[in-house]
Amino acid sequence: MEFTLLILIIPLFMFLFLALAGHKLRAGIAGVTGTVGMAAAAILSYITAYSYFFDAGKIDGIYRKITPFSIEWLRFSDKLHIDLGILLDPISVMMLVVITTVSLMVHLYSMGYMRGEKGFQRYYAFLSLFSFSMLGLVVATNIFQMYVFWELVGVSSYLLIGFYYTKPSAVAASKKAFIVTRFADLGFLVGILILSFYTGTFDFDLLTADNGSLVIDSTAGASFMGLSAATWAMTLIFMGGAGKSAMFPLHIWLPDAMEGPTPVSALIHAATMVVAGVYLVARLFPVYVFATPETLALIAYTGAFTALFAAVIAIVQTDIKRVLAFSTISQIAYMMVALGVSDFGGHDGLGYMASMFHLFTHAFFKALLFLGAGAVIHAVHSNEMGEMGGLRKYMPVTNITFLIACLAISGIPPFSGFFSKDEILAAANHHDGILYAVLLAVAGLTAFYMFRLYFGIFWGKEREYRHKPHEAPWIMLITLVFLAVLSCVTGFVPFPEFVSSDGKAFAAHIDWSIALSGTLVALTGIVFAGILYRKDSEKPATIAAGLGALYTAAVKKFYLDEIWLFITKRVVFRYISAPIAWFDRHVVDGTMNLAGRAVEKLAWAIRDFQSGKVQTYAWVFIIGTLIVTVWALFL
């Protein structure tokens, strides 16, 4: 399966070509070029998935790991070296399909949405770089290769979020995303160094082999502050994942990332950047289960709190893209909880499978939600719900596809989200009643805020639009319809037969008691949203006034941005950065400046020795000779 290398080479070539020569192409040609390249990568991904799952990947009923390409990049010792290669296993092959499919839809959609934008060619170059970075991340054979592409994803997101570089809010959002995720990635890097120091390898195969025995044996007896070296390493690695996947309290960058073009939001939220943290935990899952189960518990409870926290904030947001941003945070947290409550092997690995299943289904209906929101913004030229209403009359296709996505994310059968969310609820219920109760409550909140959004856009009172709203161009509608179809059918994919924690297929079934509970809770949320928002009324304002400070705090996102600003500006900058800057200026720079001035004065003092005057040289020679003679005769 060496041809899988082309899946990475094609978007990399597209990036280099469009970045270097795109300005010489017409915008339409650049868009078509980038789209054709991504279509080729998607086709190769589908071929890879078919070959792996139905031919080359399975031996004796177990899906094995295949490394079709690997070269040594850097060698540090006999054991420790960094390779660049491609690792194919069920989750990496699944991610290849997800990434290329969503990226292709974004490429197609952007040809209509971004038409006429300044920097169109640059935009497509950045899309190709983003896709290449994420594809390289998911097929990495070792954790350091993953880290390299992890940072490339961060750079790509910085470029795309700040695409409108003349807009101060977009520049600020791109810097915020970059800085927050770099802060988290510092923990990731330190964790990698600790892990490689004790195990002597970066390789995923060696780290996860035999239930993580290498990590357990190599870190035995090593501890710091009461925690084992393995616990420190894996917790710090999760810190990197928490930053990328916007887990509390490192979630603050993601809502602001909405300043980028809407198709970029779909790409970041659906299939690439934010699921990287979930993928990281899944990739090292045996190590988390057997070497650091306490870290796995931390992942579960961090995810549960984040899911509830983000869902509450989403209820009161008025910018439609920010509603979807907090929805993404909540849904990614759902996946984290599923990993945190899982075990390795057999039916105990239900949470692992459920997490990957929800990642798979979520990619399509979340991309549909963002691209549908983009079609609405394209029609009314506003992000605010208060300036929308009654759009179902003008945008029937967008209305239907957006409704399908809302039903899917709410977990209403038979849409895809029902099947994956039901498995997560079942896994949580088997593990911890508190976590199950939290996720069940979040399911109700999700249905409520999504249909608050749907009714607010497509129902309610029709606004006085400056221009009559219209349906999106056909190329945008094609992507909406295609993603709507996927949102309807992907739940019926026999996912447990392909993806599991130990590579073995297991028979999953719907737990109807849990499925009915989740569905009833979701329907309750939809009914309440319909009562409050299907028609304009004073009820929402009355409820908001009644909640008082709680409502205000939710609107202000519980002041997390202000708290982070206080910590950074008033504490870190004033008491840590300022003293370090003073030491750098006065001690480090001062020492070097003093040395420079001393050399300068010495040079000035002895400048006459190199004057170029023969008389001076002769005088110095004679004086020197006399001194040496006197010294020899009398001393």
Side-chain angles (χ1 to χ4, degrees):
M1 300 180 70
E2 292 84 358
F3 68 87
T4 51
L5 184 60
L6 291 173
I7 299 174
L8 274 70
I9 290 176
I10 291 172
L12 175 60
F13 175 78
M14 288 295 105
F15 162 67
L16 294 174
F17 175 73
L18 292 173
L20 298 175
H23 64 284
K24 296 182 180 180
L25 302 174
R26 288 188 301 170
I29 299 297
V32 170
T33 303
T35 304
V36 169
M38 187 47 58
I43 292 170
L44 289 172
S45 296
Y46 302 151
I47 295 172
T48 301
Y50 182 83
S51 300
Y52 181 84
F53 286 118
F54 298 102
D55 183 18
K58 203 169 189 178
I59 295 181
D60 297 329
I62 300 175
Y63 285 109
R64 62 192 177 104
K65 295 180 179 179
I66 300 175
T67 307
F69 173 80
S70 182
I71 59 170
E72 186 177 293
W73 179 32
L74 296 172
R75 176 169 286 277
F76 302 104
S77 67
D78 291 340
K79 292 183 178 180
L80 190 62
H81 54 89
I82 300 175
D83 297 340
L84 294 177
I86 293 176
L87 175 63
L88 300 179
D89 69 347
I91 60 171
S92 65
V93 173
M94 178 269 292
M95 286 299 297
L96 287 179
V97 172
V98 169
I99 293 166
T100 54
T101 301
V102 174
S103 184
L104 176 59
M105 292 300 102
V106 170
H107 275 72
L108 278 172
Y109 182 93
S110 297
M111 292 181 68
Y113 189 88
M114 298 295 290
R115 181 179 298 169
E117 289 279 2
K118 183 180 179 181
F120 189 85
Q121 297 91 331
R122 172 170 55 91
Y123 171 81
Y124 269 88
F126 292 165
L127 283 185
S128 296
L129 176 63
F130 200 113
S131 302
F132 162 72
S133 303
M134 193 64 196
L135 290 167
L137 188 156
V138 299
V139 299
T141 60
N142 60 84
I143 196 169
F144 208 92
Q145 180 188 342
M146 177 181 276
Y147 182 77
V148 171
F149 282 96
W150 190 277
E151 295 305 305
L152 272 176
V153 170
V155 171
S156 306
S157 67
Y158 170 79
L159 295 172
L160 285 169
I161 295 168
F163 176 77
Y164 299 119
Y165 60 86
T166 58
K167 187 179 177 184
S169 58
V171 174
S174 63
K175 290 192 294 184
K176 186 176 183 179
F178 191 78
I179 292 168
V180 172
T181 52
R182 292 296 72 69
F183 172 76
D185 292 350
L186 174 62
F188 186 12
L189 179 60
V190 174
I192 292 173
L193 296 177
I194 294 172
L195 193 64
S196 61
F197 175 80
Y198 284 102
T199 61
T201 185
F202 297 113
D203 191 79
F204 284 130
D205 272 345
L206 295 176
L207 290 172
T208 58
D210 299 323
N211 300 333
S213 60
L214 176 62
V215 177
I216 296 171
D217 295 340
S218 61
T219 59
S223 64
F224 177 69
M225 295 179 64
L227 296 176
S228 69
T231 301
W232 278 110
M234 301 310 293
T235 302
L236 287 168
I237 288 172
F238 170 65
M239 177 180 171
K244 210 65 122 190
S245 290
M247 294 294 99
F248 179 90
L250 300 172
H251 65 283
I252 56 172
W253 67 270
L254 192 56
D256 289 2
M258 298 302 97
E259 292 292 339
T262 301
V264 169
S265 303
L267 191 59
I268 290 175
H269 287 248
T272 52
M273 189 170 179
V274 294
V275 299
V278 178
Y279 183 82
L280 172 63
V281 176
R283 173 56 70 205
L284 292 170
F285 188 67
V287 181
Y288 278 108
V289 171
F290 294 105
T292 60
E294 59 275 16
T295 305
L296 208 58
L298 172 67
I299 292 171
Y301 284 96
T302 300
F305 179 81
T306 303
L308 181 60
F309 178 84
V312 170
I313 296 176
I315 290 173
V316 299
Q317 296 299 301
T318 58
D319 183 315
I320 63 173
K321 288 175 66 176
R322 288 181 184 269
V323 174
L324 297 177
F326 281 103
S327 169
T328 297
I329 296 172
S330 185
Q331 294 301 304
I332 298 296
Y334 242 84
M335 302 173 202
M336 286 291 192
V337 175
L339 288 172
V341 300
S342 187
D343 207 331
F344 188 77
H347 192 70
D348 292 334
L350 174 62
Y352 179 95
M353 184 281 299
S355 178
M356 296 298 99
F357 194 11
H358 199 54
L359 188 158
F360 179 70
T361 60
H362 175 266
F364 303 120
F365 58 69
K366 184 51 66 70
L368 176 57
L369 285 167
F370 269 105
L371 297 184
V376 172
I377 294 168
H378 187 267
V380 302
H381 307 289
S382 175
N383 291 24
E384 286 295 321
M385 286 174 58
E387 299 179 18
M388 302 172 188
L391 288 177
R392 69 187 187 283
K393 301 176 184 177
Y394 305 101
M395 308 176 70
V397 176
T398 305
N399 171 43
I400 294 171
T401 55
F402 201 89
L403 175 61
I404 290 172
C406 289
L407 291 168
I409 196 173
S410 299
I412 303 300
F415 300 97
S416 60
F418 164 75
F419 297 94
S420 55
K421 187 174 287 188
D422 171 70
E423 300 291 4
I424 292 177
L425 290 173
N429 184 55
H430 294 157
H431 184 272
D432 189 319
I434 295 176
L435 291 177
Y436 170 69
V438 171
L439 294 190
L440 193 62
V442 171
L445 294 175
T446 301
F448 177 80
Y449 67 67
M450 287 311 306
F451 275 85
R452 169 182 176 263
L453 181 65
Y454 171 72
F455 288 129
I457 295 173
F458 296 101
W459 293 75
K461 181 181 179 181
E462 184 177 330
R463 310 301 173 184
E464 294 183 4
Y465 300 109
R466 281 180 288 178
H467 305 284
K468 184 179 179 180
H470 54 84
E471 194 64 271
W474 66 269
I475 198 165
M476 295 167 64
L477 292 182
I478 287 175
T479 62
L480 297 183
V481 172
F482 180 76
L483 289 170
V485 171
L486 291 181
S487 299
C488 293
V489 303
T490 49
F492 295 98
V493 172
F495 200 82
E497 296 181 12
F498 302 118
V499 177
S500 64
S501 59
D502 58 359
K504 300 177 183 178
F506 69 94
H509 63 278
I510 296 176
D511 186 331
W512 285 108
S513 62
I514 292 175
L516 289 174
S517 299
T519 303
L520 287 174
V521 168
L523 288 173
T524 302
I526 294 172
V527 169
F528 272 105
I531 293 171
L532 295 176
Y533 298 102
R534 188 171 178 273
K535 296 180 179 180
D536 283 7
S537 71
E538 297 298 323
K539 294 175 183 176
T542 303
I543 295 173
L547 292 173
L550 178 61
Y551 176 83
T552 303
V555 171
K556 295 291 186 180
K557 295 167 283 190
F558 293 99
Y559 305 99
L560 257 295
D561 287 279
E562 289 78 5
I563 291 171
W564 272 112
L565 282 174
F566 176 81
I567 292 172
T568 52
K569 288 188 174 182
R570 299 294 181 88
V571 178
V572 176
F573 291 172
R574 180 177 295 182
Y575 297 108
I576 299 177
S577 300
I580 291 174
W582 183 91
F583 183 84
D584 182 63
R585 285 194 302 269
H586 294 86
V587 178
V588 178
D589 288 353
T591 301
M592 299 309 297
N593 291 338
L594 178 63
R597 286 194 292 270
V599 170
E600 183 181 354
K601 289 183 178 297
L602 178 62
W604 181 261
I606 64 174
R607 69 191 187 283
D608 289 339
F609 288 104
Q610 295 290 332
S611 66
K613 297 178 180 179
V614 176
Q615 300 94 320
T616 301
Y617 294 160
W619 181 82
V620 171
F621 175 76
I622 293 171
I623 296 298
T625 302
L626 288 174
I627 291 173
V628 171
T629 302
V630 171
W631 182 277
L633 291 175
F634 297 101
L635 299 176

